[in-house]
Amino acid sequence: VPRPGETPAHIGGTTLFGDNVEDEWFIVYLVREITREFPGLAARIDDNDGEFLLIEAADFLPKWLNPENSENRVFFYKGELHIIPLSETSEQDWELSAPCPTIPQALALLSTRSEEFLAAEPIRAAVYKRIDGYPEKIQASLHRAHCYLPVGIAAVLRQRPSLVAAAVQAFYLRDPGDLRACRRPFRTFPAEQRVMTLVTFTRCLYAQLVQQKFVADRRSGYTLPAPSHPQYRAYELGMKLAHGFEILCSKSSKVAPDAKRNVLSGPLWERFLRSLKEKDYFKGEMEGSAKYLELLHMAEDHFQQSVDVPESSVEVSPGDEILTLLQTTSIDLKEFEREAACLPPEDDDSWLDITPDALDQMLKEARSESLPSTNEEEQKYDLETVAESMKAFVSKVSTHEGAEMPW
């Protein structure tokens, strides 16, 4: 990221982690390890909830720290979590509405006096607990399953295993418009040439695919055996994945050349066009006339050049990548069939089912984590007070104005 205002040039990134919050904590682990490996680096990380590292440690934060004054105070530095206190950026130590430090101020303080700003041990423990067990935990979060797939998809996944994520997402978030491409024999991945293969998912992706009930359109060619068939699950997973891949390819700009003109259907273009009309850009020409259309096309070209980022930095859509891989990869059906004959066993998916006892244990752990340890007598007193208050409230006779609070 080039220098924006006071902030120095830096490395930055954004991740759409979807339903898998564990992916977000994996990124926290990576960021911490990067700052440990390169001691000159400071890193900050937030999400759509804001400073989520502080939210995780909410029970242990100092009273002065609130969402309004926490920006640019929380950093990983030399592999540890640091919080820059108010006294360093405000005249009064306890001024709760104190302005947040700028990035250069925070970096200057970290590089000279980082030992003073190390987050308190309970705060660090709460955050580190979420990233404990990495990197070993990466393998534990994967799930390998047999899938009966078109050979083209098997070949694509051999080259780029991570494309399984985009395909699962396309299937999981499908809408009626997406399914239009699946109401006829598939153009890119027809059902005729299918092979059994082993696909690696994350547990979250596998669960998203398995748990959705879905019946394929008869015209698509994707039929399933009877549910009692020993490989029914592999057929069903393959059918769902194939739909995801077909949806991605149907949205590719190579298939739909108008995709690049989507930039002209957003609110930014509407505002630009309104501004042109106000400034009499069209010189009073009738809408739809030859001269009007000529001026409109010139405006569209100028707008696209202004708004579009350079081609080199445009992320290739998954559909484009899949179609490119299909064109450049030689697919040997016989080889895939030979491999299918001796596939390694798939992973046990009993982890999908949670017993009532396991659920109780999870709730107990969550409750004990969310309650800061307090005096047992105090807890007992509080609970008894709450219980008595509730009984008194429930036993009140209410009138048309509602029940009165039993003060």
Side-chain angles (χ1 to χ4, degrees):
V1 181
R3 174 187 293 270
E6 282 189 331
T7 305
H10 57 281
I11 298 168
T14 306
T15 302
L16 301 175
F17 55 85
D19 290 343
N20 196 0
V21 178
E22 198 53 48
D23 278 355
E24 181 176 29
W25 287 104
F26 174 52
I27 292 165
V28 173
Y29 160 76
L30 290 178
V31 168
R32 185 185 73 164
E33 291 307 301
I34 288 166
T35 63
R36 179 174 285 158
E37 193 70 24
F38 303 96
L41 290 183
R44 61 181 301 264
I45 183 166
D46 57 23
D47 70 2
N48 42 318
D49 291 325
E51 297 286 356
F52 69 98
L53 300 180
L54 296 184
I55 296 171
E56 189 64 28
D59 294 328
F60 312 103
L61 297 180
K63 284 189 169 60
W64 62 263
L65 196 53
N66 61 47
E68 285 71 43
N69 64 21
S70 61
E71 195 178 347
N72 299 342
R73 291 189 189 280
V74 187
F75 290 87
F76 278 111
Y77 188 61
K78 296 182 178 174
E80 295 288 357
L81 188 67
H82 290 71
I83 299 176
I84 295 171
L86 275 182
S87 54
E88 299 305 324
T89 55
S90 170
E91 296 296 317
Q92 299 169 34
D93 285 13
W94 298 99
E95 188 191 335
L96 295 186
S97 60
C100 302
T102 63
I103 293 280
Q105 282 174 338
L107 294 179
L109 288 165
L110 278 176
S111 62
T112 52
R113 298 159 54 195
S114 61
E115 307 79 27
E116 300 171 39
F117 308 139
L118 195 62
E121 203 281 327
I123 296 175
R124 282 181 291 143
V127 171
Y128 296 170
K129 186 174 182 183
R130 291 300 300 260
I131 55 179
D132 193 35
Y134 282 115
E136 297 76 18
K137 212 155 80 171
I138 298 168
Q139 287 305 316
S141 72
L142 298 177
H143 184 88
R144 296 159 194 84
H146 289 166
C147 296
Y148 191 52
L149 283 171
V151 67
I153 295 177
V156 164
L157 287 177
R158 179 178 285 181
Q159 297 287 327
R160 282 274 281 116
S162 60
L163 280 168
V164 74
V168 171
Q169 187 183 35
F171 174 77
Y172 187 67
L173 301 177
R174 68 193 180 280
D175 60 30
D178 294 335
L179 288 175
R180 271 202 292 270
C182 308
R183 292 194 191 117
R184 55 172 184 261
F186 284 17
R187 285 178 183 168
T188 315
F189 299 109
E192 286 73 44
Q193 289 189 327
R194 283 185 281 176
V195 291
M196 194 65 75
T197 185
L198 190 75
V199 177
T200 302
F201 302 87
T202 62
R203 283 188 166 191
C204 180
L205 292 172
Y206 178 74
Q208 286 179 327
L209 209 56
V210 166
Q211 300 287 21
Q212 286 220 343
K213 303 283 181 229
F214 179 72
V215 179
D217 190 293
R218 272 191 212 155
R219 290 165 290 183
S220 70
Y222 282 86
T223 53
L224 297 180
S228 57
H229 191 283
Q231 290 180 316
Y232 176 81
R233 173 60 63 85
Y235 273 76
E236 186 186 38
L237 285 172
M239 175 267 290
K240 290 175 177 177
L241 258 188
H243 276 71
F245 273 95
E246 190 72 17
I247 289 167
L248 287 175
C249 291
S250 71
K251 290 179 168 181
S252 162
S253 60
K254 294 181 179 180
V255 174
D258 288 344
K260 290 193 176 175
R261 291 180 63 83
N262 283 348
V263 72
L264 297 175
S265 59
L268 208 59
W269 162 250
E270 297 293 339
R271 281 210 300 276
F272 180 66
L273 188 59
R274 205 161 46 242
S275 151
L276 290 179
K277 287 176 179 173
E278 284 167 7
K279 290 171 181 163
D280 198 28
Y281 167 77
F282 293 103
K283 303 185 178 73
E285 291 291 332
M286 283 284 291
E287 203 164 320
S289 68
K291 183 66 178 168
Y292 179 93
L293 291 174
E294 184 189 331
L295 290 166
L296 180 66
H297 291 320
M298 280 168 59
E300 285 176 350
D301 290 344
H302 173 73
F303 182 77
Q304 279 188 291
Q305 285 166 12
S306 310
V307 170
D308 281 1
V309 278
E311 202 62 37
S312 58
S313 65
V314 172
E315 189 183 349
V316 178
S317 78
D320 287 351
E321 193 172 352
I322 292 163
L323 292 172
T324 303
L325 283 169
L326 284 174
Q327 288 164 3
T328 55
T329 306
S330 58
I331 299 171
D332 185 346
L333 179 62
K334 295 282 181 234
E335 185 194 339
F336 278 102
E337 286 173 344
R338 279 195 299 275
E339 285 178 13
C342 51
L343 284 179
E346 58 185 349
D347 294 341
D348 178 18
D349 66 1
S350 57
W351 53 266
L352 278 169
D353 303 312
I354 298 175
T355 63
D357 291 344
L359 182 60
D360 285 344
Q361 186 58 35
M362 288 160 72
L363 290 171
K364 271 181 195 166
E365 284 171 13
R367 186 174 176 278
S368 61
E369 281 170 24
S370 65
L371 282 174
S373 56
T374 56
N375 183 309
E376 269 188 40
E377 283 300 312
E378 279 180 30
Q379 277 191 346
K380 189 176 168 193
Y381 168 77
D382 288 344
L383 289 172
E384 283 174 2
T385 310
V386 171
E388 287 305 318
S389 175
M390 281 300 295
K391 277 182 196 165
F393 177 71
V394 171
S395 63
K396 273 275 178 185
V397 178
S398 60
T399 67
H400 67 282
E401 293 176 340
E404 289 182 13
M405 285 299 290
W407 300 115

